[in-house]
Amino acid sequence: MTNADMILDQVDVVKLDISIWTSSKKLRAEDLMLADGSRLPPEDLASLGTKKTIHPDKLKEFNRIKKEAERICLESGTRFIGGFANPRTEITRITQELDALSKKFYQERDLFLASYTADTEEWIRCHAEFGDAIRRAIEPVGTVAAKLRFDYVVFRVTKPEQEESLERRALTMSEQLFREISQDANQIIDRSFVGKDSVTVRALNGFRRIRDKLDSLGFLDHRCMPVVDEIDSVLDLLPKSGPYNGVVFHSLFRLGLLLSDPDKIKRHGSGLLQPDTVIDSDIVLEEDLDDQLIPDADSTLVDEDIVQQPVLEITTDTEDNDLGEQPEVQIESDVDDLPGFDAFLAKYDSSKEDTVTQEPLEATEPFVPSDALLVLVENVLGSLVGDVQVTAKAVTQVADVTPVESSSEGDREDIDDDDLVESEETASTDFWF
């Protein structure tokens, strides 16, 4: 089974047979009163047009009913070979609504025919100078009644063997569907969005009708359902009551623009177009990001107001012992680095010492520390060395003290001889200073 056969197997065609009398008659030369010396153009050059035998407003209701019948057929269908192709599941609903509309049509026809003669006479009185021209064109009531007709027929279409014309028409049914959707969307935009900054719930009804139509005819083209999902995603996020303005208004406007172009509908259905790209003003281009300054990974950020220099970190901790509270010097480096401290002091050049300043440094005028600052730094370092020596001597004195024997013999038995030897070796250790 071909694609055309699959489509035709799921649709029935509804063909409307509605006739409306227009009251228009051909305008003749004798119907016109020409001024002296004037003449009419020949018939092969120009047509004189038509004349009305009754007020056009008397026929407005018949035209409205005809448009309503077309709307019913297009609600879930699309135009096809002079009729309206609809899913087979929708035919029962369509025929019921058309039957109700047919009754209303004939009721209006009876009312119109009842006042037909009086209405034509009123029309003549309104245009007394052309009364004779109007009377010559008036039709009898029976003729007018025959020209006011409402009917429809439902049928199915099958493709004969070796016939390609019907197959072509069936395969292009989706193209007709997308054109109809775009026409409906353009009407929504013109009526509800152009020149306005808010919309009411009535505009949403138009989007819902488009959505239901695409959903019912989704078997015609695989691109229908992504568009249905897009409409659902927009409408589901809206508040329950209007009016809708601001961001919601622009979201609906963007959806209307997407549906107003058959090509955009097909591209979105194919996954080639996102709804956010419909309005160029809402696009954030990647080139705009180039204007932002992004520092390189190797770049160094310098604060011109405060230049932080590495500072020797000294922390003190107090510990209760026999000598009282003594400061404990902790240096970030390991203890093994202490023997090289004298060499560091010997090579120390105070003129190259980094300093902390609150003023920005000029590259052409390097900072030179004052004599008072150099003296202060030397005093601090000298005091530091003195404190380290005092602490070391105190530790040596503690190591030389003879341990007091316990009055309990059991305690002495718990002391290991190796521990005593290790303690003596520790006491005789020669310190680095």
Side-chain angles (χ1 to χ4, degrees):
M1 181 179 291
T2 64
N3 292 335
D5 293 330
M6 294 176 61
I7 293 175
L8 295 176
D9 188 55
Q10 300 182 64
V11 299
D12 287 341
V13 180
V14 180
K15 184 175 178 59
L16 297 176
D17 185 15
I18 302 175
S19 176
I20 299 177
W21 179 67
T22 62
S23 78
S24 297
K25 294 298 179 179
K26 184 178 179 181
L27 186 64
R28 301 181 181 277
E30 57 269 21
D31 296 333
L32 300 177
M33 294 182 297
L34 301 178
D36 295 339
S38 61
R39 62 189 182 91
L40 294 174
E43 292 184 358
D44 60 346
L45 176 62
S47 174
L48 293 178
T50 60
K51 58 186 175 183
K52 303 292 185 181
T53 61
I54 199 171
H55 199 296
D57 290 346
K58 300 296 181 178
L59 301 173
K60 280 186 175 180
E61 186 61 22
F62 298 107
N63 290 307
R64 190 198 66 79
I65 293 176
K66 182 178 180 180
K67 290 182 180 179
E68 178 66 14
E70 294 176 351
R71 187 197 64 79
I72 292 173
C73 295
L74 286 172
E75 185 175 350
S76 59
T78 184
R79 290 179 173 84
F80 180 63
I81 58 174
F84 303 89
N86 277 267
R88 197 158 293 164
T89 56
E90 297 289 334
I91 296 300
T92 301
R93 174 191 63 83
I94 293 174
T95 55
Q96 291 175 353
E97 294 183 7
L98 290 178
D99 289 340
L101 202 58
S102 176
K103 293 180 180 180
K104 187 174 183 180
F105 182 91
Y106 285 109
Q107 290 174 356
E108 292 294 332
R109 188 190 73 167
D110 293 340
L111 294 175
F112 173 76
L113 295 178
S115 60
Y116 174 72
T117 302
D119 292 336
T120 55
E121 293 297 330
E122 179 65 24
W123 186 246
I124 292 173
R125 285 194 296 269
C126 293
H127 305 280
E129 64 274 21
F130 299 98
D132 293 339
I134 297 174
R135 284 192 176 93
R136 285 194 297 266
I138 292 177
E139 296 184 69
V141 176
T143 304
V144 174
K147 292 183 178 180
L148 289 171
R149 183 179 66 257
F150 186 103
D151 199 0
Y152 65 89
V153 60
V154 179
F155 57 91
R156 295 181 181 178
V157 179
T158 58
K159 183 173 71 67
E161 296 294 336
Q162 306 299 327
E163 177 58 42
E164 297 181 356
S165 60
L166 183 60
E167 183 174 1
R168 290 196 306 269
R169 296 294 297 273
L171 294 178
T172 59
M173 202 180 300
S174 62
E175 298 292 332
Q176 176 65 29
L177 170 64
F178 293 144
R179 284 195 296 268
E180 293 171 356
I181 292 298
S182 65
Q183 292 173 0
D184 295 340
N186 277 298
Q187 291 179 359
I188 295 175
I189 291 176
D190 294 339
R191 182 176 63 249
S192 303
F193 289 91
V194 175
K196 300 179 181 179
D197 57 1
S198 65
V199 294
T200 61
V201 180
R202 185 177 180 181
L204 304 186
N205 295 333
F207 287 119
R208 292 191 180 98
R209 287 194 295 268
I210 291 177
R211 184 262 178 212
D212 293 340
K213 181 172 181 175
L214 287 170
D215 185 44
S216 64
L217 294 174
F219 60 87
L220 295 180
D221 199 303
H222 70 279
R223 294 170 291 189
C224 293
M225 299 315 297
V227 181
V228 172
D229 295 338
E230 180 62 30
I231 298 174
D232 288 339
S233 64
V234 174
L235 298 183
D236 291 344
L237 296 178
L238 299 181
K240 295 182 179 180
S241 60
Y244 304 103
N245 50 27
V247 177
V248 177
F249 175 84
H250 292 293
S251 178
L252 291 172
F253 191 21
R254 186 182 299 111
L255 178 62
L257 292 177
L258 170 64
L259 299 174
S260 65
D261 188 340
D263 183 60
K264 289 181 180 178
I265 295 175
K266 291 183 286 187
R267 289 171 58 195
H268 180 74
S270 301
L272 303 177
L273 178 66
Q274 298 298 326
D276 292 341
T277 63
V278 176
I279 301 179
D280 295 338
S281 59
D282 292 339
I283 302 176
V284 179
L285 298 178
E286 295 181 358
E287 288 79 6
D288 295 339
L289 300 178
D290 297 336
D291 297 334
Q292 302 179 5
L293 296 178
I294 302 178
D296 295 334
D298 298 333
S299 62
T300 304
L301 299 179
V302 180
D303 192 339
E304 296 181 355
D305 296 333
I306 301 177
V307 180
Q308 296 182 354
Q309 302 293 346
V311 180
L312 181 63
E313 181 178 357
I314 302 175
T315 59
T316 59
D317 189 11
T318 57
E319 181 181 359
D320 295 338
N321 50 39
D322 297 340
L323 298 179
E325 295 183 356
Q326 296 294 336
E328 180 180 355
V329 179
Q330 296 181 357
I331 305 177
E332 292 182 349
S333 61
D334 296 333
V335 178
D336 295 339
D337 295 334
L338 292 177
F341 189 73
D342 290 339
F344 167 76
L345 293 178
K347 297 178 181 180
Y348 173 74
D349 185 1
S350 61
S351 63
K352 298 181 179 180
E353 179 67 15
D354 295 334
T355 58
V356 178
T357 179
Q358 297 295 331
E359 297 295 332
L361 301 179
E362 296 293 336
T364 57
E365 297 180 2
F367 174 76
V368 179
S370 62
D371 296 338
L373 181 58
L374 294 176
V375 172
L376 177 60
V377 173
E378 292 177 356
N379 291 337
V380 171
L381 293 176
S383 176
L384 175 61
V385 174
D387 291 341
V388 173
Q389 292 177 350
V390 171
T391 303
K393 290 180 181 180
V395 174
T396 303
Q397 292 177 3
V398 173
D400 292 339
V401 176
T402 302
V404 180
E405 296 182 357
S406 173
S407 59
S408 174
E409 295 180 358
D411 295 337
R412 286 193 304 270
E413 292 177 357
D414 295 335
I415 300 175
D416 193 355
D417 294 339
D418 295 337
D419 295 337
L420 294 176
V421 173
E422 181 179 358
S423 176
E424 292 176 358
E425 292 176 355
T426 303
S428 61
T429 300
D430 188 10
F431 288 87
W432 59 272
F433 52 83

